[in-house]
Amino acid sequence: MSEIPHLLVHDKKDSAGVVVVEGLEANTDMLVCITQDNSTFRLKASEAVPIGHKIALQDLNKGDTVYKYGEDIGVMIADVKKGHHLHVHNSKTKRW
């Protein structure tokens, strides 16, 4: 039986992936799947993150654009390190 991914990434240029398992704990060695080509890689979750929330795939700085689905989904309002929770406390939409 194959290992089930912990994180889904839609496009190779994405800077955030979505947690797809319940109860993701800090220090989990996650299997990450890029759905664009079904490739995988490993990433360590630096903190517990709820299902449906995002994790940074790289270090992001305040002012950086966040990419998900291969699209610009917002801007960082605070720095976040690779493997950390990326959500409304450190990023926001550019719509308002």
Side-chain angles (χ1 to χ4, degrees):
M1 177 183 238
S2 299
E3 185 178 4
I4 297 171
H6 299 88
L7 199 69
L8 289 182
V9 176
H10 299 278
D11 191 284
K12 287 187 176 196
K13 75 177 185 182
D14 288 354
S15 53
V18 179
V19 175
V20 293
V21 295
E22 290 281 356
L24 182 72
E25 297 293 328
N27 300 313
T28 299
D29 176 33
M30 298 182 296
L31 177 63
V32 183
C33 180
I34 302 174
T35 59
Q36 179 183 44
D37 62 6
N38 211 31
S39 62
T40 60
F41 64 94
R42 309 294 304 195
L43 178 68
K44 185 176 181 179
S46 298
E47 55 191 317
V49 178
I51 191 170
H53 286 225
K54 296 177 292 299
I55 290 182
L57 302 176
Q58 62 198 48
D59 291 349
L60 295 166
N61 298 311
K62 183 177 180 179
D64 286 352
T65 296
V66 181
Y67 290 93
K68 183 177 165 193
Y69 315 113
E71 302 289 330
D72 174 345
I73 64 158
V75 62
M76 296 304 300
I77 58 173
D79 295 347
V80 67
K81 296 289 186 189
K82 179 179 179 177
H84 284 262
H85 192 193
L86 195 162
H87 199 54
V88 296
H89 64 285
N90 53 23
S91 65
K92 72 176 196 75
T93 183
K94 293 178 182 173
R95 293 181 191 171
W96 54 82

